């Protein structure tokens, strides 16, 4: 039941009506808490992000991130710690709290380097590019986007996330530079 519930909630992550997704996610989280298996709970916590449309409620998003970071620390899981910091970074970016976002980004980068997993390094670079774009540092953003793309498919795989992030960041950069025509064909 737990795996089916988690998979059901995940399968509905892009569905425009959130009620069923949220219900399955709450159920999965409750089951994970009852099982008292920290790794299952960490997985369920991470899964709550897409289920509850967190950018609309940064308090809830941060609470999930903090619980995930605390749990990761207790079980010594650096990958889950990275994910927790990634969620906290996102919530702080949505809030416009750049000081807190910078602190989370530094922790993410340190964890990514320690893990030496290309997917984590890629995610940290993508977050760095997001921060640079948000802060208006277009030259820095361009360099980080280039580095992210170079690491890109070898780290993330040629999946929808890779293409979405890569194209969205390139679009944002070229839009701000007044150079959208350059990316029309790839988009």
């Amino acid at each position: 039941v737990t795996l089916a519930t988690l998979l059901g909630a995940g399968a509905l992550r892009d569905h425009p009506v959130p009620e069923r997704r949220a219900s399955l996610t709450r159920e999965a989280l409750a089951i994970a808490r009852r099982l008292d298996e920290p790794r299952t709970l960490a997985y369920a916590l991470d899964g709550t992000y897409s289920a509850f449309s967190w950018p609309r409620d940064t308090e809830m998003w941060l609470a999930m991130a903090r619980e995930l970071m605390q749990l990761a620390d207790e079980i010594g899981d650096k990958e889950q710690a990275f994910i927790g910091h990634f969620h906290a970074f996102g919530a702080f970016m949505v809030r416009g709290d750049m000081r807190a976002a910078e602190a989370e980004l530094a922790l993410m980068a340190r964890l990514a380097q320690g893990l030496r997993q290309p997917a984590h390094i890629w995610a940290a670079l993508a977050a760095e590019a997001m921060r640079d774009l948000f802060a208006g540092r277009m030259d820095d953003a361009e360099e980080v986007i280039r580095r992210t793309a170079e690491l890109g498919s070898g780290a993330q795989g040629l999946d929808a996330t890779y293409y979405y992030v890569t194209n969205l960041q390139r679009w944002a950069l070229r839009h701000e530079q007044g150079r959208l025509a350059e990316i029309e064909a790839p988009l």
Side-chain angles (χ1 to χ4, degrees), residues 87-104:
H87 285 304
F89 167 80
F92 288 128
M93 288 292 293
V94 168
R95 285 182 167 184
D97 185 343
M98 295 307 291
R99 184 180 307 245
E102 289 282 351
E104 295 299 335

Side-chain angles (χ1 to χ4, degrees), residues 62-84:
L62 279 172
M64 176 274 289
R66 289 178 178 130
E67 184 177 1
L68 183 55
M69 288 184 279
Q70 179 182 349
L71 184 62
D73 187 49
E74 290 171 10
I75 62 177
D77 189 328
K78 292 188 185 313
E79 288 187 38
Q80 289 296 340
F82 177 89
I83 293 168

Side-chain angles (χ1 to χ4, degrees), residues 47-64:
T48 65
Y49 167 73
S50 61
F52 292 124
S53 302
W54 292 111
R56 295 184 196 139
D57 186 347
T58 57
E59 281 303 316
M60 194 177 279
W61 192 4
L62 279 172
M64 176 274 289

Side-chain angles (χ1 to χ4, degrees), residues 10-152:
L12 295 172
R13 75 174 179 256
D14 295 323
H15 194 271
V17 180
E19 287 79 16
R20 179 73 175 136
R21 177 178 64 234
S23 173
L24 287 171
T25 299
R26 279 191 208 81
E27 182 181 345
L29 200 51
I31 291 168
R33 289 187 193 289
R34 281 195 309 269
L35 289 173
D36 196 31
E37 293 179 8
R39 294 192 190 285
T40 301
L41 179 56
Y43 180 77
L45 281 167
D46 179 35
T48 65
Y49 167 73
S50 61
F52 292 124
S53 302
W54 292 111
R56 295 184 196 139
D57 186 347
T58 57
E59 281 303 316
M60 194 177 279
W61 192 4
L62 279 172
M64 176 274 289
R66 289 178 178 130
E67 184 177 1
L68 183 55
M69 288 184 279
Q70 179 182 349
L71 184 62
D73 187 49
E74 290 171 10
I75 62 177
D77 189 328
K78 292 188 185 313
E79 288 187 38
Q80 289 296 340
F82 177 89
I83 293 168
H85 287 290
F86 188 79
H87 285 304
F89 167 80
F92 288 128
M93 288 292 293
V94 168
R95 285 182 167 184
D97 185 343
M98 295 307 291
R99 184 180 307 245
E102 289 282 351
E104 295 299 335
L105 183 57
L107 291 167
M108 286 169 49
R110 197 168 25 252
L111 282 166
Q113 292 304 317
L115 287 166
R116 297 179 6 186
Q117 296 292 326
H120 294 94
I121 295 167
W122 180 87
L125 283 171
E128 185 179 339
M130 180 190 322
R131 184 263 333 259
D132 288 343
L133 286 165
F134 185 84
R137 296 191 296 257
M138 297 307 147
D139 290 342
D140 293 342
E142 186 158 19
E143 174 59 22
V144 177
I145 291 168
R146 183 193 60 74
R147 289 176 32 223
T148 305
E150 282 177 3
L151 183 61

